[in-house]
Amino acid sequence: MNLEGRKIIVNKSSKELTEILKSPENYKDFMPDGLQKFETREDGFKFGLQGMPEIALKIDEVNDQKAVLKSASSSLDFSLTATLNPINENQTEVQMLFEGKFNPFIKMMVEKPLQNFINALTDKIEAYK
């Protein structure tokens, strides 16, 4: 299952974004409304949103072209990637991409909430100062 967020322009260089995305505690700023729990870990974070199970993510790779978060749970196989495309030295185009391997039943249950989550993340990143 693949989902995409809309492409947005962030008023930060890709280098600035890379530094922000390397640090687990900064992801709290991007979480959608309804955040009920947020815990940082050495290599990632765990969060809980209203009406959803808690999700643990590890920061797998961050460079000036992308930030890749992967599921920290062996029972869920998915990744969330933010592609970073520099426009100029002060602006970067960002797009969230979700890729997950789910059975058809799980896919049917999680597809809409995941798309809403990606859209909310995109909005928060776009508004980030």
Side-chain angles (χ1 to χ4, degrees):
M1 177 173 80
N2 296 323
L3 300 172
E4 292 183 5
R6 62 188 171 85
K7 291 181 179 179
I8 58 169
I9 306 296
V10 178
N11 291 319
K12 297 213 176 293
S13 70
S14 62
K15 185 176 175 124
E16 283 178 281
L17 281 174
T18 298
E19 289 306 309
I20 292 166
L21 296 172
K22 282 181 181 175
S23 181
E25 56 270 5
N26 290 334
Y27 285 86
K28 186 174 186 178
D29 295 334
F30 303 135
M31 289 290 122
D33 297 335
L35 182 68
Q36 294 187 313
K37 180 178 183 176
F38 189 90
E39 291 175 10
T40 59
R41 298 171 170 189
E42 185 181 321
D43 63 344
F45 57 93
K46 182 178 189 176
F47 68 97
L49 297 172
Q50 197 170 350
M52 287 180 66
E54 288 182 8
I55 298 171
L57 296 172
K58 62 181 182 188
I59 300 171
D60 188 58
E61 176 185 1
V62 179
N63 59 47
D64 60 357
Q65 296 172 348
K66 65 183 173 183
V68 181
L69 304 175
K70 291 199 172 184
S71 170
S73 167
S74 57
S75 62
L76 293 173
D77 184 9
F78 69 86
S79 65
L80 183 61
T81 302
T83 61
L84 309 176
N85 183 17
I87 295 172
N88 58 45
E89 54 188 54
N90 297 318
Q91 290 185 314
T92 305
E93 180 185 76
V94 177
Q95 184 178 27
M96 302 299 299
L97 305 171
F98 177 90
E99 186 177 323
K101 294 181 177 75
F102 301 119
N103 69 44
F105 178 72
I106 299 289
K107 178 183 182 224
M108 189 175 71
M109 286 180 21
V110 301
E111 190 166 18
K112 185 170 178 150
L114 275 173
Q115 186 66 59
N116 291 339
F117 175 69
I118 290 167
N119 294 342
L121 273 180
T122 300
D123 292 344
K124 291 281 187 167
I125 293 167
E126 187 174 38
Y128 188 74
K129 299 288 180 221

